Amino acid sequence: MRAGGPPDTGFRLSGGLALEFQDVVRRRRMVRRFTDEPVAEDIVRRILRNAVRGPSAGFSQGQAFLVLRGEDLARFWALGVDWAGEPARTAPLVIVPFAVKDAYLDRYARPDKGWTDRDEAHWPVPYWYIDTGMAAMLILQTAVDEGLGALLFGFDPPGVARFAAEFGVPADHEPIGAIAIGHGDEPAPAKQASSRSVARRPDADVIHFGQW
């Protein structure tokens, strides 16, 4: 919560109104069209501060973020490695979250964790991806809290190497996708959005208490 903002029971919505956490969850959706209005610097900083507050196994902190605006963002779109779709390219801000597997392997080889090597077999679930996904969700939710729209989109796999070379990405940093952020220009979910063509599964089909 920002200084001078609402109490901890709620979140701030653009315009000074309080937005409850449940409303942040309910309103979060993928926005595919944006105005060209820039995102204020203080909002960008808040989004990033929240992103780094996500959980990470053993506090490995194996995440990194590339912030693209202006000419840097134009370079990104020009690469043609994204799956965002043409309308989303009006977004004034893109944040690329990276998973850093080596940070986890190194952290859990330290004495306090009890493993003596960096063998990936210790990890039946790759927490470097899970934790980076949690950071991405914090970015999406903070965008909603700020009255903005956001779209998580993927990379064309063959283009990832070109993207990494263009932006000097370290070899051990793997992008899990990218997030376009801006002032939404959609009054409702786009007609082609999956949320409008695919029914939400009933709770009884996906939530199980005690046993399947």
Side-chain angles (χ1 to χ4, degrees):
M1 183 187 70
R2 295 162 138 193
D8 287 340
T9 54
F11 291 82
R12 196 185 66 81
L13 180 65
S14 182
L17 300 176
L19 187 63
E20 297 295 331
F21 175 72
Q22 195 59 41
D23 290 329
V24 172
V25 174
R26 179 177 56 82
R27 294 187 184 195
R28 196 224 46 82
R29 64 181 177 88
M30 296 302 176
V31 173
R32 292 169 170 79
R33 189 180 299 273
F34 305 88
T35 71
D36 59 1
E37 181 181 352
V39 177
E41 183 66 24
D42 64 321
I43 293 177
V44 176
R45 295 293 178 179
R46 182 179 181 231
I47 289 171
L48 295 168
R49 284 198 304 271
N50 285 356
V52 300
R53 297 292 297 183
S56 67
F59 205 44
S60 299
Q61 303 176 76
Q63 287 73 48
F65 306 89
L66 178 64
V67 182
L68 300 173
R69 295 176 286 188
E71 293 182 0
D72 295 324
L73 182 52
R75 284 196 292 136
F76 173 76
W77 295 130
L79 284 173
V81 299
D82 65 276
W83 288 345
E86 191 63 33
R89 296 187 179 195
T90 56
L93 169 67
V94 165
I95 299 175
V96 182
F98 296 85
V100 188
K101 176 175 64 178
D102 284 349
Y104 289 76
L105 302 184
D106 291 343
R107 173 69 185 95
Y108 276 78
R110 293 172 62 178
D112 64 313
K113 287 302 180 185
W115 294 341
T116 58
D117 57 51
R118 300 171 75 255
D119 189 351
E120 287 187 49
H122 296 308
W123 298 86
V125 176
Y127 270 79
W128 39 92
Y129 296 134
I130 292 172
D131 293 345
T132 308
M134 291 183 184
M137 178 58 81
L138 286 171
I139 291 173
L140 295 171
Q141 290 184 323
T142 306
V144 173
D145 189 41
E146 289 288 355
L148 299 173
L151 173 68
L152 174 65
F153 59 90
F155 284 84
D156 179 28
V160 171
R162 284 196 290 130
F163 161 74
E166 176 69 24
F167 290 96
V169 177
D172 64 346
H173 285 49
E174 184 176 359
I176 67 162
I179 304 172
I181 301 170
H183 296 267
D185 195 24
E186 293 177 353
K191 291 182 179 180
Q192 69 273 23
S194 296
S195 61
R196 298 191 65 173
S197 60
V198 180
R200 187 179 296 278
R201 294 176 65 186
D203 288 355
D205 286 356
V206 296
I207 300 172
H208 309 278
F209 293 91
Q211 186 169 326
W212 221 264

